[in-house]
Amino acid sequence: MKPETPLPYPDCWAGPEEYVENLLEFATTSTIFQTLCGGVHILDFFTSEPGLFQTIVPEDWQAYLVRNEPMQLLDVLMRKDLDLLAENERPPESLVQYIQDVRRFSLARDFAQQENLPKLTRPVAVGMKPKKIHEVSNFASYINELANDFTDISGDDITHFVDFGSGQNYLGRALASAPYNKHIVAVEGREHNIAGAKAFDALAGLAEKEKVIRNKKLWQQRLNGKPAEREMDNSSEVNEEYAVDFRPRRELEAVYTPEEGKGFIRYISGRLESGDLSDVVGQLEAAPTLNEQEAKDLRLMAISIHSCGNLSHHGIRSLVLNPRVRAVAIVGCCYNLMTEKLGPPTYKLPLMRPTPQPINGRVVRESAKCDPHGFPMSERLCTYKETGVRLNITARMMACQAPQNWGEKDSDDFFSRHFYRAVLQKVFLDKGVIQKVYHDPDVKPEKESTPFNTSTNPIIIGSLRKACYKTLNTYIRGAIDKLTTHSDYREQCEVVSEKMGDMTDDEIASYEQRYRHRKRELSVIWSLMAFSAGVVESLIVTDRWLFLKQHTDLVEQCWVESVFDFKESPRNLVVVGIKKRDS
């Protein structure tokens, strides 16, 4: 099952070491890459003059980029063979080189659909949308094959599959059902998710609802809103005899009964703060469904579909931290939720600017600024060129994009939303709602400031009503209304009311007149950022593989490959590790 290469890098590389070394060199030396992936933020597009487009995009690229329609530009960036373009369609040579660089450093995402893939039965698929069905059906089959390969390599079977952050336990339910019939340990921190998952288990036939004996007459009286006659009887003997369990069916416990040859699910409630599974293993060893020998002979595989942020790190680290964990298969997502192991970028890294704290956002915990559980994981990236490799939240958030899947209509919609938000930030600045932030304490305000050493205080607005996105006017009016009436914005309510409460339609129209011709510039920057961030995701995934690879005393094999169709699920790279038998 192990792929030919441990990383899905393009064919232009001779091997993983050549790819990794060149990837790290490019990511830490390319000025335009570092600028597009962490050096600028779309909120500051219009808050300085000249604007971001004129400041950060090489001058010889600018005319070519703005004359292409957005979808045409995406084709040039990601799909077209640049060598076959006509002379009048060909980008400037320096842009061609950059596009080729990003393409060759972005991990390949090709996916080969498995033949004879078992379909999820209707009861097992309850609650799943098509995207989730695609993910679960493919990953369940992948995990089953991986477990079989583990048996061939080690001579032992995996006894339990530990799902990190199981949520509604769609994956675990599929694996516990036929034809897989696996034993699942679903670890989830939210009780309502566990309750919902158990209800789905009952529908799928993996559990039964707790049986209660009801007196039909008293139960019907209760349903009709009448006091049960026996409840009115003061005789304790009679009350005990006719005690009625009035819990509705949704509150009845799910009962799991192990059966030979069939799957079984066990839920463990708790939030995983590291890769240490001592508590999970302890609860599993003490389970009454295991005999003494089975408790001593646990062999676990940690699995997860789209474990957010550091939870992916915890899943991968579990292989080296727990003797009972024999293999891992983790598909990560939500890179913006990862913390920073080396600390946030500072003004001393001019092209990877610090992220200003939102003035109405949650305060970042000091401990998260140098979090040992954060990015990067591997020694290679932590010590690269002495300072290590760092990614700020802007770069990590852009790595969650999937520009290959953008269509014309949805692209135009979110380009418009970004344009409205960027103009609103300029309005905030002009009106005095926010101020400029100077990252370098030595910069003299308004004299040496550039988009690289200054930014503005972000205000998290979140989503607005659909009608607010029709025009710039409706957007600004909707934002003002939310900031002055919503309970989450108490601190901003007074200043926004004072500074912008009397803003006229003519004033808003003047901003639109001033900036609407620059919307194409914004769509170009956003497209370049999203395209370039494919290298950011490659850095994150490669770092996770390098972490496993560095533990040569414990890890027998490790690799990365695609497990979903990118069009269905863009975060489709699984990190796999198999432990040495004698470790």
Side-chain angles (χ1 to χ4, degrees):
M1 185 177 187
K2 181 182 178 182
E4 292 183 6
T5 59
L7 288 171
Y9 45 75
D11 294 337
C12 60
W13 302 108
E17 179 55 36
E18 182 185 31
Y19 168 75
V20 171
E21 183 57 39
N22 283 275
L23 169 68
L24 297 180
E25 178 68 16
F26 173 78
T28 55
T29 60
S30 170
T31 299
I32 187 63
F33 169 75
Q34 290 183 316
T35 301
L36 291 168
C37 292
V40 294
H41 196 286
I42 214 73
L43 284 185
D44 293 328
F45 202 83
F46 301 123
T47 58
S48 61
E49 290 296 338
L52 283 188
F53 182 80
Q54 289 75 21
T55 305
I56 71 172
V57 176
E59 188 174 352
D60 60 325
W61 296 11
Q62 294 178 14
Y64 174 84
L65 292 171
V66 295
R67 77 167 181 253
N68 279 275
E69 294 291 332
M71 299 310 295
Q72 291 176 328
L73 178 59
L74 290 174
D75 284 341
V76 170
L77 294 177
M78 296 179 294
R79 288 178 277 270
K80 288 189 175 182
D81 186 335
L82 302 181
D83 293 332
L84 299 180
L85 291 178
E87 190 63 32
N88 63 332
E89 296 177 338
R90 188 173 174 83
E93 286 307 310
S94 59
L95 177 55
V96 169
Q97 182 60 55
Y98 181 72
I99 294 172
Q100 291 174 336
D101 284 340
V102 172
R103 288 182 181 183
R104 68 195 183 107
F105 289 119
S106 297
L107 292 174
R109 316 302 283 274
D110 301 332
F111 170 70
Q113 180 68 52
Q114 301 176 54
E115 296 182 5
N116 304 318
L117 182 70
K119 290 186 177 180
L120 303 181
T121 64
R122 193 180 189 90
V124 171
V126 169
M128 298 188 202
K129 295 181 179 179
K131 175 177 181 287
K132 181 60 68 175
I133 291 175
H134 173 82
E135 293 168 349
V136 170
S137 58
N138 279 281
F139 201 51
S141 178
Y142 183 87
I143 292 298
N144 182 61
E145 291 186 23
L146 182 61
N148 292 337
D149 285 355
F150 174 84
T151 300
D152 293 340
I153 294 171
S154 67
D156 295 319
D157 292 331
I158 294 292
T159 63
H160 294 78
F161 298 79
V162 181
D163 191 347
F164 274 64
S166 59
Q168 297 286 318
N169 198 31
Y170 295 122
L171 174 62
R173 192 170 306 111
L175 284 168
S177 303
Y180 307 117
N181 296 307
K182 305 297 185 184
H183 286 215
I184 306 300
V185 181
V187 183
E188 171 58 36
R190 297 179 177 88
E191 290 291 345
H192 69 275
N193 276 342
I194 294 178
K198 289 182 175 180
F200 284 138
D201 291 345
L203 291 174
L206 295 168
E208 293 182 348
K209 282 293 185 180
E210 174 185 6
K211 289 183 172 60
V212 295
I213 300 176
R214 303 194 194 277
N215 181 300
K216 292 184 179 180
K217 180 179 178 181
L218 300 184
W219 176 248
Q220 191 60 48
Q221 288 176 353
R222 182 62 172 253
L223 291 179
N224 293 336
K226 298 178 181 179
E229 294 176 3
R230 291 291 182 179
E231 286 185 298
M232 303 294 291
D233 196 316
N234 290 326
S235 168
S236 60
E237 182 178 345
V238 173
N239 280 336
E240 182 178 348
E241 181 182 353
Y242 288 96
V244 179
D245 190 334
F246 287 114
R247 287 178 297 165
R249 180 173 175 77
R250 66 178 179 275
E251 294 182 8
L252 299 180
E253 290 292 327
V255 178
Y256 296 82
T257 305
E259 295 182 49
E260 185 70 27
K262 291 190 175 183
F264 185 77
I265 299 175
R266 177 178 288 100
Y267 289 92
I268 293 180
S269 176
R271 182 178 177 86
L272 294 170
E273 299 291 350
S274 73
D276 184 355
L277 295 184
S278 300
D279 183 57
V280 172
V281 172
Q283 292 188 51
L284 193 54
E285 289 174 333
T289 54
L290 298 182
N291 60 42
E292 185 177 351
Q293 185 57 42
E294 289 172 332
K296 289 181 179 179
D297 199 25
L298 294 175
R299 293 179 296 277
L300 312 180
M301 179 187 292
I303 60 175
S304 181
I305 292 181
H306 295 159
S307 45
C308 293
N310 285 1
L311 191 56
S312 293
H313 293 179
H314 300 337
I316 293 168
R317 282 195 175 95
S318 71
L319 184 66
V320 301
L321 293 179
N322 305 275
R324 300 297 184 92
V325 177
R326 310 300 301 170
V328 296
I330 306 293
V331 183
C333 75
C334 302
Y335 306 126
N336 54 302
L337 298 180
M338 296 190 308
T339 55
E340 297 154 341
K341 184 175 183 178
L342 304 179
T346 69
Y347 68 90
K348 294 180 181 179
L349 299 169
L351 297 180
M352 186 67 67
R353 67 179 189 173
T355 302
Q357 178 65 26
I359 60 177
N360 62 320
R362 295 179 181 177
V363 176
V364 177
R365 293 179 304 159
E366 290 298 316
S367 61
K369 292 183 178 180
C370 290
D371 187 349
H373 303 294
F375 173 88
M377 296 182 71
S378 68
E379 190 69 18
R380 181 82 170 270
L381 267 70
C382 284
T383 59
Y384 186 71
K385 292 185 176 179
E386 297 184 355
T387 59
V389 177
R390 306 183 192 217
L391 297 172
N392 65 9
I393 191 172
T394 305
R396 289 184 274 115
M397 187 173 292
M398 291 307 300
C400 299
Q401 297 291 319
Q404 296 92 327
N405 291 348
W406 293 355
E408 188 167 0
K409 176 64 170 63
D410 56 323
S411 295
D412 186 65
D413 286 344
F414 64 68
F415 286 152
S416 294
R417 293 186 179 203
H418 292 322
F419 172 72
Y420 296 156
R421 183 63 186 87
V423 174
L424 177 59
Q425 191 76 354
K426 173 62 172 172
V427 175
F428 283 155
L429 183 63
D430 290 348
K431 294 289 187 178
V433 175
I434 60 174
Q435 292 78 40
K436 281 199 172 184
V437 176
Y438 297 89
H439 303 310
D440 186 341
D442 296 329
V443 167
K444 297 177 181 178
E446 307 302 338
K447 291 185 178 180
E448 300 174 8
S449 64
T450 72
F452 304 113
N453 58 29
T454 63
S455 57
T456 53
N457 300 117
I459 296 179
I460 298 176
I461 295 177
S463 60
L464 302 175
R465 301 186 312 277
K466 188 176 181 179
C468 294
Y469 296 99
K470 291 182 178 179
T471 66
L472 178 63
N473 188 298
T474 57
Y475 181 83
I476 291 180
R477 295 294 180 204
I480 292 174
D481 180 66
K482 184 173 184 178
L483 291 171
T484 55
T485 60
H486 199 283
S487 59
D488 287 348
Y489 300 95
R490 295 187 186 93
E491 296 180 7
Q492 289 71 49
C493 178
E494 186 175 338
V495 67
V496 173
S497 296
E498 177 188 348
K499 305 288 188 179
M500 299 179 63
D502 58 352
M503 194 170 187
T504 65
D505 290 344
D506 288 343
E507 196 173 0
I508 295 175
S510 70
Y511 275 93
E512 183 158 24
Q513 178 69 24
R514 195 186 321 169
Y515 294 110
R516 65 185 176 189
H517 67 285
R518 295 172 63 181
K519 180 182 175 183
R520 176 65 61 79
E521 297 175 359
L522 186 145
S523 71
V524 166
I525 292 290
W526 188 259
S527 297
L528 285 171
M529 290 169 67
F531 167 63
S532 303
V535 178
V536 176
E537 183 171 23
S538 297
L539 278 168
I540 294 170
V541 175
T542 298
D543 171 59
R544 294 172 178 180
W545 172 75
L546 286 169
F547 172 81
L548 291 176
K549 187 174 180 292
Q550 76 189 34
H551 289 88
T552 54
D553 57 328
L554 295 173
V555 179
E556 178 76 30
Q557 298 179 10
C558 57
W559 69 85
V560 174
E561 63 180 317
S562 297
V563 286
F564 310 133
D565 186 334
F566 190 90
K567 293 181 179 178
E568 294 285 344
S569 183
R571 307 283 76 79
N572 68 342
L573 295 173
V574 63
V575 179
V576 176
I578 296 178
K579 187 174 285 183
K580 290 183 176 180
R581 184 175 184 180
D582 58 352
S583 60

